[in-house]
Amino acid sequence: MEELVGRLGNGDLKEKIEAAMAVRKLVRKSNSKSSKSVVRSRLASAGVIDPLVSMLQPSFPLSAREPALLALLNLAVRNQRNKIRIVTSGAIPPLVELLKFQHGNLKELAAAAILTLSSAAPNKPAIAASGVAPLLVRVLCSGSVQGRVDAVTALYNLSTCEEDPKLVLDPEAVPPLIDLLKECKKYSKFAEKTTALLEILSKSDEGRIAVTNVDGGILTLVETVEDGSLVSTAHAVGALLSLCQSSRDKYRELILREGAIPGLLRLTAEGTPEAQDRARILLDLLRESPPQNRLTSSVLERIVYNFAAHVDGTDKATETAKKLLRDMVQKSMEHSLSHMQLRASSPFKDSVNVKNHLLPMGVDSKPMK
C-alpha cells in the first residue's frame, strides 16, 4: 500500500493510472464484505484518497480521471468515513465539472459518485451548495436507466439535507420522474424517493403545471395513493393536495376525473397520521358542498363520542367511537362504488359529476385519533 501511495503521489501519468486501477482491484478482489471494509479502511489510512482526488482535476486527461473516479467509488461504498474524507479532500468541484461533460460514461460515473457521497449526512450541505442539482436533472432527463435511477437517488439524498441551501428542482425533472414512477412498483423504496421529489416540485407553479402537462401525471399520483407504501402514499397525496390548494378551480376536476376518491377514503383510515390529515383536507376540497354546510371532523367526532359514551359508557367510549367512524368510512366507500356503477350504466352519465357525489354531503371522513 505504501508503494501504491508513492506511485499515486510521485509517479508519472502512466504509473498514477496503474496505481488507481490497482486500488480498485484491491477492493474488488476481497472475498467478503468484512474484508472489503478492512481493505477500504487500510487504503484510506495509507493516504490514497488525496492523490486520487487530485487526479480528478481538469489538468489530468480523461484517461486518468476515469480510473481515479472508479477507485474512489470503490473506497466510498459502505464506508461513511471514506465518503467524508473524499469530500473534505475537494472531490465535489471536479465531480461537478465531470457532470457537465457530454461523455456519457464519465457523466454517469460522476452522478453515481454524487449519489454515494451524498448518502453521508455531513456531506449534504457542501454538495447541495455546489450547484449540482441542475446537472443531476440533466442526467435524469437524458441518461441511461441506471443513470436516471442514480440521479433520482442523489437528488432525494440532497432533498433531505436539514441545512441551507435547500434543494431547488427544475420543473424539467417532472416528466422523467412521472415516467419512472409509472414504471416502478408504487410501494418500492424507489417510488418513495420519486414521489418525495414530485411533492417538492408540486409546491411551485411551474412544477404544478408540469405535472398536469405530462400524460398521465395526475393519474400516476392517484395510482400511488391507491397502491403505494405508507411513505409514497403520503408524498403522493401531498403533491395532489398542493395542486388543489394552489387553485381549487383549476385542479379539482382534473383530480376527480382520475378517480381519486376511493383511494383517499381508504387513506383516511389506513395511512400515516400525516397522510390521513392530508387525505381529509383534500377530500374536503374535492367536495361540491360549501364549507358552511359540512360537519367539521371535530364536531363529528364529538357527536360520535357522545353517542358511544351513552351506549357503552365513558370507559369504552373512545374505542367504540373509533369503530363507528371506521364503519362510516367503509360504508361511504361502498356507497361510492355502487353509485359509480349505477351512474356508469346510465346513458346520461357524466364522469365528473359521478365523482362529485362520491361522498355523502356533510360527513367528514377523518377517523378519531
Side-chain angles (χ1 to χ4, degrees):
M1 290 190 182
E2 290 179 1
E3 182 185 351
L4 275 178
V5 174
R7 289 162 60 194
L8 282 169
N10 303 313
D12 59 24
L13 181 61
K14 182 180 178 182
E15 288 176 320
K16 289 178 185 289
I17 292 172
E18 290 173 349
M21 294 170 68
V23 168
R24 182 191 182 205
K25 188 180 294 185
L26 276 173
V27 176
R28 289 172 63 87
K29 77 175 185 179
S30 302
N31 296 324
S32 66
K33 288 183 179 179
S34 59
S35 62
K36 287 179 188 291
S37 178
V38 170
V39 171
R40 289 186 183 106
S41 297
R42 289 181 60 191
L43 284 165
S45 297
V48 300
I49 288 178
D50 284 345
L52 285 171
V53 169
S54 70
M55 289 176 66
L56 298 178
Q57 299 298 331
S59 56
F60 281 83
L62 295 181
S63 59
R65 281 189 265 179
E66 183 170 348
L69 181 50
L70 288 168
L72 288 167
L73 268 170
N74 278 272
L75 289 169
V77 171
R78 297 188 180 90
N79 192 304
Q80 294 295 98
R81 182 175 295 180
N82 283 359
K83 291 173 187 176
I84 296 168
R85 284 179 177 176
I86 290 168
V87 170
T88 55
S89 295
I92 300 305
L95 286 175
V96 170
E97 290 303 312
L98 286 173
L99 278 170
K100 297 175 182 178
F101 268 61
Q102 297 303 314
H103 190 293
N105 187 49
L106 264 179
K107 186 195 307 187
E108 295 198 358
L109 279 176
I114 294 293
L115 155 62
T116 302
L117 298 173
S118 63
S119 66
N123 290 341
K124 293 179 183 181
I127 297 174
S130 69
V132 75
L135 300 172
L136 289 171
V137 170
R138 285 190 205 170
V139 176
L140 174 60
C141 292
S142 60
S144 66
V145 173
Q146 186 60 56
R148 291 159 66 201
V149 169
D150 288 348
V152 167
T153 310
L155 287 167
Y156 171 77
N157 287 345
L158 296 177
S159 75
T160 62
C161 179
E162 297 179 356
E163 301 177 29
D164 291 332
K166 299 299 182 184
L167 181 69
V168 177
L169 287 172
D170 192 303
E172 288 184 6
V174 170
L177 285 172
I178 292 291
D179 287 343
L180 287 168
L181 186 56
K182 287 178 183 177
E183 296 166 8
C184 73
K185 294 176 180 177
K186 304 298 187 289
Y187 54 81
S188 65
K189 292 291 184 184
F190 184 73
E192 294 176 1
K193 295 178 175 66
T194 305
T195 50
L197 296 177
L198 286 168
E199 184 180 358
I200 292 171
L201 283 157
S202 72
K203 297 183 187 304
S204 71
D205 288 338
E206 295 83 0
R208 289 188 287 267
I209 291 169
V211 169
T212 55
N213 286 344
V214 176
D215 184 32
I218 291 177
L219 175 60
T220 304
L221 291 171
V222 169
E223 290 173 343
T224 306
V225 169
E226 295 173 346
D227 301 325
S229 68
L230 289 174
V231 174
S232 58
T233 54
H235 289 312
V237 74
L240 292 171
L241 180 58
S242 291
L243 265 64
C244 209
Q245 284 180 323
S246 70
S247 176
R248 180 176 181 272
D249 292 340
K250 181 176 181 180
Y251 294 108
R252 175 177 170 272
E253 288 190 4
L254 294 176
I255 296 171
L256 285 170
R257 194 175 297 142
E258 303 300 352
I261 298 294
L264 291 172
L265 276 170
R266 186 167 59 250
L267 195 57
T268 62
E270 298 178 359
T272 63
E274 181 182 35
Q276 289 180 14
D277 287 342
R278 290 175 171 184
R280 175 182 56 80
I281 296 168
L282 182 54
L283 284 167
D284 211 37
L285 290 169
L286 295 177
R287 291 192 182 101
E288 273 192 317
S289 59
Q292 59 268 28
N293 291 343
R294 302 184 198 132
L295 289 176
T296 65
S297 64
S298 59
V299 171
L300 179 61
E301 287 180 3
R302 187 167 62 252
I303 292 171
V304 174
Y305 177 84
N306 290 339
F307 175 77
H310 179 73
V311 173
D312 285 345
T314 56
D315 291 344
K316 297 182 179 179
T318 300
E319 191 59 37
T320 302
K322 286 181 180 179
K323 183 178 185 303
L324 287 170
L325 285 166
R326 282 196 297 267
D327 289 345
M328 289 172 66
V329 170
Q330 182 62 36
K331 292 292 184 185
S332 183
M333 290 179 68
E334 291 172 359
H335 171 80
S336 301
L337 293 174
S338 63
H339 194 78
M340 287 178 69
Q341 291 168 354
L342 179 65
R343 292 297 297 266
S345 64
S346 168
F348 304 106
K349 64 186 178 184
D350 180 337
S351 62
V352 173
N353 286 334
V354 167
K355 296 179 179 67
N356 287 346
H357 294 286
L358 285 177
L359 279 175
M361 287 189 184
V363 176
D364 193 316
S365 59
K366 182 184 178 184
M368 281 193 75
K369 295 180 180 177

